[in-house]
Each structure stands twice: as C-alpha cells, then as structure tokens.
Amino acid sequence: DAKTTQPPSMDCAEGRAANLPCNHSTISGNEYVYWYRQIHSQGPQYIIHGLKNNETNEMASLIITEDRKSSTLILPHATLRDTAVYYCIVRPPGTGNQFYFGTGTSLTVIP
Amino acid sequence: GAVVSQHPSRVICKSGTSVKIECRSLDFQATTMFWYRQFPKQSLMLMATSNEGSKATYEQGVEKDKFLINHASLTLSTLTVTSAHPEDSSFYICSARGDDEQYFGPGTRLTVT
C-alpha cells in the first residue's frame, strides 16, 4: 500500500522552480524515498531517490527533512515538457521490494 | 539509463481470446520484474512480482489463472491475459530492477472488444 501523501495537482510557470511536496510520516529507518514521473500514456520515468541526505542530479533536487517525514522534489527551471504526474514512493532496499504507487501530483507547467 | 522495452505497444483483441505481452530489459539483467496495470486517470496498480526461474507472486485480488506470468530469463518476462474481456482493457506496464534503480517499460495499451 502507498505510504505517501501528495497534493493532487499543482501549477508552475515555465522557467520557475517547481516544488513538489510529499508526506511520508510513517517512513521506516531503512526506507528510501523515490520520485518518478509519468508523462501521459508513457511508462514512469525515474527522477531521483535518497535516504537521508539531500540529493541532486541533472534532472532535479530532492530535499528530505531531518526527521524524514516529508520531502520535496525541486525541478529548478520547469519547462513545458515537465508537465506530468509525479509520484513519491517509499521503499526499503532490496531487489525484490515492490514499488506501490499512490495517486501522485499532476504538475502542469504553464507558458 | 537502462532501457526496458515492451511489445506490442498497442493491441486490440476480441473478447475471449488471449493476449501475450513481452517485457525485455535491453542492457541489463533483471532478476526481478514487476507487472502493473493502470486504468484511465488512475495510478499504477501492482499486479505481480516475478523472479527469474520461479513462480510469480500475485497481489491480493489479482487472478493468477487469468494473468499468466512467465519470467523465463534474466532479460524477458511475459504477461498473458487469458480469455480477455472488455474490463481487462487497460494500460499494462512492466518494470525491471537493475542495480539500485527500477526501470519501467513504455507500456502496452490493451483494448478488448
């Protein structure tokens, strides 16, 4: 079962930073926070993941609160192509552990 | 990043027939693959987890005799929808785990008429 809560939808102006929050107040000590996004009628695309520390890659930054009960995905300069549904997922390590998707946040980037 | 392919991308079949969907990890070996189903405007729902060489583990409420999963090799898993009905029409997505990340296929749109 999904263990995260996200706002159902958000808008962001093109070129501005998009900050997508995720609540995971019941996260366990060994569970990672993953972010994926799904553009309409495509498979989910991996964005970033982290355990405790903030993480950054070429796509986004992930900020995890010190108590790990929430996190924020930051797209620094949103473009129209970033319009998608963004999913925050918590999952323990291990190759057999499943991803359970919640309802995600539908992000619309506005020109 | 790693690539997962699915074939076919779209399929239309008649009610009562069976349909096979293939999922391949193209540039890595995947000991574990996952199958999801997604209805319009809904999130992905995990159907089953398959490990190479062993029987798949199905999520509660998913009929194992209707959705046959075969994970024959480290790069190939198949999902067969048997005796398909219109309510099986959905977007089927596979996923393969490699290293520390999980990669998803592009999905297969199944329409049962």
Side-chain angles (χ1 to χ4, degrees), chain A residues 18-40:
Chain A
N19 297 282
L20 292 92
C22 179
N23 182 290
H24 33 79
S25 59
T26 61
I27 192 170
S28 300
N30 66 341
E31 288 183 317
Y32 285 73
V33 179
Y34 285 79
W35 283 84
Y36 282 79
R37 72 180 182 185
Q38 186 180 27
I39 296 170
H40 182 63

Side-chain angles (χ1 to χ4, degrees), chain B residues 17-110:
Chain B
T17 62
S18 295
V19 174
K20 180 185 284 188
I21 302 170
E22 291 187 351
C23 174
R24 294 182 184 273
S25 56
L26 296 185
D27 50 2
F28 67 100
Q29 293 186 331
T31 53
T32 305
M33 289 187 172
F34 307 87
W35 286 94
Y36 292 82
R37 179 168 55 180
Q38 186 176 34
F39 293 108
K41 298 191 184 300
Q42 294 187 23
S43 186
L44 285 77
M45 185 189 77
L46 180 65
M47 299 175 67
T49 301
S50 77
N51 293 295
E52 185 262 339
S54 62
K55 290 184 178 180
T57 302
Y58 292 81
E59 294 295 304
Q60 190 172 9
V62 178
E63 300 175 59
K64 63 180 181 181
D65 294 331
K66 180 169 184 62
F67 299 99
L68 302 179
I69 292 172
N70 184 357
H71 193 158
S73 74
L74 288 173
T75 60
L76 173 64
S77 177
T78 61
L79 167 68
T80 301
V81 183
T82 63
S83 186
H85 292 285
E87 57 265 32
D88 298 323
S89 297
S90 188
F91 192 50
Y92 291 86
I93 304 169
C94 75
S95 179
R97 179 145 175 91
D99 297 329
D100 195 31
E101 295 171 12
Q102 190 159 326
Y103 302 93
F104 288 80
T108 295
R109 177 76 59 190
L110 170 63

Side-chain angles (χ1 to χ4, degrees), chain A residues 62-82:
Chain A
L62 173 60
I63 308 298
I64 303 174
T65 58
E66 192 168 343
D67 63 8
R68 303 209 324 121
K69 292 185 177 182
S70 65
S71 61
T72 301
L73 178 74
I74 301 173
L75 307 178
H77 306 286
T79 70
L80 299 179
R81 288 180 295 181
D82 292 323

Side-chain angles (χ1 to χ4, degrees), chain A residues 2-108:
Chain A
K3 298 169 62 175
T4 62
T5 303
Q6 299 176 251
S9 64
M10 292 180 64
D11 292 339
C12 176
E14 188 178 17
R16 305 296 294 269
N19 297 282
L20 292 92
C22 179
N23 182 290
H24 33 79
S25 59
T26 61
I27 192 170
S28 300
N30 66 341
E31 288 183 317
Y32 285 73
V33 179
Y34 285 79
W35 283 84
Y36 282 79
R37 72 180 182 185
Q38 186 180 27
I39 296 170
H40 182 63
S41 293
Q42 297 182 24
Q45 176 190 22
Y46 168 80
I47 301 173
I48 198 167
H49 75 283
L51 181 63
K52 297 181 191 177
N53 300 322
N54 298 337
E55 302 287 345
T56 296
N57 62 20
E58 63 277 6
M59 289 183 69
S61 294
L62 173 60
I63 308 298
I64 303 174
T65 58
E66 192 168 343
D67 63 8
R68 303 209 324 121
K69 292 185 177 182
S70 65
S71 61
T72 301
L73 178 74
I74 301 173
L75 307 178
H77 306 286
T79 70
L80 299 179
R81 288 180 295 181
D82 292 323
T83 293
V85 178
Y86 288 76
Y87 295 99
C88 167
I89 305 164
V90 297
R91 200 194 74 165
T95 57
N97 288 304
Q98 298 87 343
F99 279 91
Y100 291 98
F101 285 76
T103 53
T105 296
S106 178
L107 174 69
T108 301

